[in-house]
């Protein structure tokens, strides 16, 4: 069955979309946005020029994701390790870029009905950055379309530590019987309210998770593209979805599961 083409897609996006199977759309896609520095280096530009160009790729990808009706898109923008291991000049630039991006993008978020949120230890960031993030959450809280989550000062291991701590603290405060199982950890992850992660994309050709969504990626399909992040786009998102639809998802069983709504836990 062919999908009816949503309004607002570019020519190439519409063509790719028309070949997709509406019954096998992913509900949650996450992207490791990697390769900004290499993009800049190839052009003999400073690394920050790559980050600046990366914002255009974010804009284009988010716009396409919201137009095709994707329920959830999670973007890895900044890891715990990035914060610790990159020069202060680069991390400060990224913080400033995030603040500017959220402000400039607000009209597009509203137009496209996008709800913005953040995961990670972002409460450790400078206050002015947190203020802008709080503002973006509040301004878009009423939107009902794409849930756009930015992972900022995020680490997959620290997320699991935070989940376990939350469980322990809650059990202590209500004196409840102490028990930990997969469902409980799931419910206490930063992503508890998001659909199961169906597709994890990484740009720039690296074949690693770099501490991103370690728990959630248990049965996700992984798609690695050689494109550097600033060259990514809605078209490339649709190419990744086309590839996703060709995969056989078995979730440990022996038969292909025909769509993306199966939960593993
Ligand atoms: C990804 O690009 C952006 C962030 C991690 C913030 P990089 O800055 O990691 O670019 P490369 O990997 O050095 O090319
Ligand atoms: C992963 O990219 C983090 C983000 C995209 C935010 P890195 O560039 O930090 O990952 P490594 O260092 O190549 O593993
Ligand atoms: Mg990198």
């Amino acid at each position: 069955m062919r999908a009816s083409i949503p309004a607002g897609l570019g020519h190439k996006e519409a063509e790719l979309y028309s070949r997709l199977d509406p019954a096998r759309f992913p509900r949650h896609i996450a992207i490791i946005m990697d390769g900004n520095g290499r993009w800049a280096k190839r052009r003999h530009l400073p690394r920050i020029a790559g980050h600046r160009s990366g914002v255009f790729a974010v804009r284009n990808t988010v716009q396409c994701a919201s137009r095709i009706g994707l329920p959830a898109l999670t973007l890895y923008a900044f890891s715990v390790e990035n914060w610790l291991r990159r020069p202060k000049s680069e991390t400060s630039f990224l913080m400033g870029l995030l603040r500017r991006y959220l402000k400039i993008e607000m009209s597009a978020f509203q137009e496209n009905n996008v709800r913005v949120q953040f995961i990670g230890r972002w409460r450790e960031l400078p206050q002015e950055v947190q203020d802008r993030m709080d503002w973006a959450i509040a301004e878009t809280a009423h939107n009902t379309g794409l849930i756009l989550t930015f992972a900022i000062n995020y680490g997959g291991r620290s997320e699991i530590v935070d989940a376990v701590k939350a469980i322990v603290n809650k059990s202590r405060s209500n004196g409840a019987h102490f028990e930990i199982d997969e469902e409980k950890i799931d419910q206490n992850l930063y992503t508890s309210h998001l659909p199961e992660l169906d597709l994890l994309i990484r740009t720039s050709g690296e074949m690693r998770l770099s501490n991103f969504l370690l728990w959630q990626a248990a049965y996700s399909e992984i798609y690695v593209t050689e494109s550097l992040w600033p060259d990514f786009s809605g078209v490339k998102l649709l190419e990744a979805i086309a590839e996703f639809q060709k995969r056989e998802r078995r979730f440990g069983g022996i038969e292909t599961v025909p769509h993306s709504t199966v939960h593993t836990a």
Side-chain angles (χ1 to χ4, degrees), residues 4-254:
S4 64
I5 315 280
L9 293 187
H11 178 71
K12 185 87 206 285
E13 287 174 341
E15 192 193 313
L16 286 162
Y17 187 91
S18 71
R19 288 192 231 131
L20 295 176
D21 175 357
R24 300 189 70 194
F25 267 96
R27 291 188 305 157
H28 182 186
I29 298 179
I31 311 181
I32 303 174
M33 308 187 288
D34 196 19
N36 294 352
R38 277 162 283 172
W39 184 94
K41 199 173 172 201
R42 283 183 195 173
R43 287 163 179 75
H44 308 287
L45 296 168
R47 292 178 58 82
I48 58 167
H51 298 316
R52 209 180 273 132
S53 286
V55 171
F56 294 102
V58 174
R59 180 173 299 148
N60 194 268
T61 304
V62 168
Q63 184 176 289
C64 178
S66 68
R67 289 191 174 156
I68 64 171
L70 182 74
L73 177 68
T74 300
L75 300 177
Y76 198 11
F78 201 79
S79 69
V80 170
E81 290 78 18
N82 292 151
W83 186 243
L84 298 171
R85 301 200 178 131
R86 295 198 181 201
K88 175 90 174 41
S89 56
E90 185 173 339
T91 55
S92 303
F93 179 82
L94 286 166
M95 288 301 114
L97 193 63
L98 173 63
R99 286 183 68 202
R100 287 196 297 281
Y101 165 80
L102 292 172
K103 184 96 182 271
I104 292 166
E105 228 51 22
M106 188 48 70
S107 57
F109 292 148
Q110 303 299 15
E111 209 175 293
N112 293 311
N113 196 21
V114 173
R115 181 146 69 90
V116 176
Q117 55 176 37
F118 303 94
I119 57 171
R121 291 183 177 167
W122 60 277
R123 288 292 176 203
E124 294 173 5
L125 297 179
Q127 192 56 49
E128 66 275 16
V129 183
Q130 288 186 45
D131 290 347
R132 183 63 53 83
M133 293 162 90
D134 280 323
W135 173 79
I137 294 167
E139 288 287 310
T140 62
H142 58 281
N143 289 343
T144 54
L146 174 72
I147 302 176
L148 174 62
T149 306
F150 291 97
I152 312 256
N153 200 23
Y154 173 90
R157 287 180 176 177
S158 48
E159 176 179 27
I160 294 169
V161 170
D162 287 351
V164 173
K165 278 187 183 162
I167 296 168
V168 171
N169 286 339
K170 277 181 223 161
S171 317
R172 271 206 197 114
S173 60
N174 60 24
H177 175 60
F178 192 83
E179 205 177 323
I180 292 184
D181 54 21
E182 289 192 13
E183 198 184 338
K184 209 160 217 175
I185 291 187
D186 250 336
Q187 288 164 354
N188 284 278
L189 291 172
Y190 307 147
T191 53
S192 57
H193 55 291
L194 292 175
E196 190 92 350
L197 181 60
D198 293 314
L199 173 60
L200 176 63
I201 299 173
R202 181 162 190 155
T203 60
S204 90
E206 307 288 359
M207 304 273 190
R208 56 175 172 265
L209 293 177
S210 299
N211 203 12
F212 190 44
L213 300 178
L214 299 179
W215 177 280
Q216 296 85 341
Y219 272 104
S220 310
E221 293 300 321
I222 298 177
Y223 176 86
V224 176
T225 168
E226 289 297 324
S227 296
L228 301 175
W229 176 252
D231 296 324
F232 200 80
S233 61
V235 166
K236 300 211 163 158
L237 180 74
L238 288 159
E239 286 171 356
I241 296 173
E243 167 67 25
F244 169 81
Q245 295 196 335
K246 289 188 204 147
R247 304 275 179 92
E248 282 185 22
R249 304 189 81 189
R250 287 192 294 267
F251 298 94
I254 54 170

